[in-house]
Amino acid sequence: MKTIDLRSDTVTLPTAAMREAISSAELGDDVFEEDPTTIRLEKMAAERMGKEAAMLVASGTMGNLVCVLSHCGRGDEVILGDQSHTFFYEAGGIAALGGVHPHTIANQPDGTLRLEDIAGAIRADNVHFPRTRLVCLENTHNRCGGAALSAEYIEQVAALAHDRGLLLHLDGARVFNAAVALGVDVKELTRHVDSVSFCLSKGLSAPVGSLICGSKEFVAEARRNRKAVGGGMRQCGIIAAAGIEALEQMIDRLAEDHDNAKRLAQGIAEIGSLSIEPERVQTNIVYFDVAGGTVTAEQLLVKLGDKGVKILQVGPARLRAVTHYGISAEDINLTLAAIEEVMQR
Ligand SMILES: Cc1ncc(COP(=O)(O)O)c(C=O)c1O
């Protein structure tokens, strides 16, 4: 039976070109900064993001952690969304390992933080309060349906943060999805941030790795923090080689994933007892709810699994499907047919 795995874009497997690049990569010890393939990827990443420097890390979670550790000291506070990946899904690492205090404010359904909420969360200089150091945004916003934050909005947040002496970090795990969806160069989305992390191992299909980018001083500090969390990776050119392929070959095709996600959302909207706002689907993430009817979200998940369609449950009635390199337009037709069959039963 064919498997259609829509749980996440992290399930993507490396392309043939990536496997080839991995096997022929020139390698060295990257902790000595002597791995030529890693150095090449880092230069490419910095250039793409419009920053002075970049550094390879093991994962998106490590990227966000190392960035927060590099901007903040123990007892400092970071303002971030209550639906943000860093707050929700990164094992509390910034607090557990960095002693950094998360100050959450509400994410709006479009993934933004209201400017007045950010301003209201910034602490006064008072011995009772932690020091606010950093604001974090996420683009695209995972739990807000893969919403893409615009360049204009990011610029406004950066202006507010910088005006108040704060730094701005962007969790850009899927920032290329945002750039493709908005039809802008990714630099437009990173121009005003002090650091950005982005992932190679999601829609870009590389097997491992994320990049963090910022000023030379920032990346030098981040290199120390990456070592402290055990992220010095020696001959990581085997990872970087696939990453170079990802940056060169896999960005433009993200539009295909977005088209498939929109078609999936439109199809789900036509199936009874499911609730979705298809107009909210901008990129490759589709959330929908089981609303009434006799089939529960758990039952839908299990019955789809029996038909080879894998999706993720993220709440009592909420399900998530993510399109990616391994999913074709025909897979979307098959998925919709499978959902319809289960819901009609
Ligand atoms: C927005 C966002 N940031 C960070 C991460 C963490 O990436 P990783 O799974 O590589 O640690 C993810 C993972 O899905 C994500 O969606």
Side-chain angles (χ1 to χ4, degrees), residues 20 46 119 122 142 159 171 225 229 232:
E20 182 60 40
I122 299 170
N142 183 339
D171 175 355
N225 286 319
V229 297

Side-chain angles (χ1 to χ4, degrees), residues 201-229:
S201 59
K202 299 193 163 63
L204 302 186
S205 303
V208 194
S210 292
L211 274 300
I212 62 179
C213 313
S215 69
K216 276 192 188 137
E217 298 73 39
F218 166 78
V219 171
E221 180 64 15
R223 207 167 277 284
R224 181 175 288 265
N225 286 319
R226 182 185 70 173
K227 191 77 182 82
V229 297

Side-chain angles (χ1 to χ4, degrees), residues 59-61 64 85 90 138 140 142 171 173-174 199 201-202 210:
S59 65
T61 300
N64 287 329
H85 195 277
E90 295 178 13
E138 185 175 313
T140 64
N142 183 339
D171 175 355
R174 297 185 181 80
C199 293
S201 59
K202 299 193 163 63
S210 292

Side-chain angles (χ1 to χ4, degrees), residues 8-10 57-64 83-86 89-90 137-143 171-174 197-202 208-210 285 320:
S8 175
D9 47 10
T10 56
V57 292
S59 65
T61 300
M62 186 185 279
N64 287 329
Q83 300 301 312
S84 65
H85 195 277
T86 298
Y89 292 129
E90 295 178 13
L137 293 175
E138 185 175 313
N139 200 14
T140 64
H141 201 292
N142 183 339
R143 284 182 60 87
D171 175 355
R174 297 185 181 80
S197 57
F198 74 87
C199 293
L200 300 168
S201 59
K202 299 193 163 63
V208 194
S210 292
I285 301 181
R320 187 184 87 166

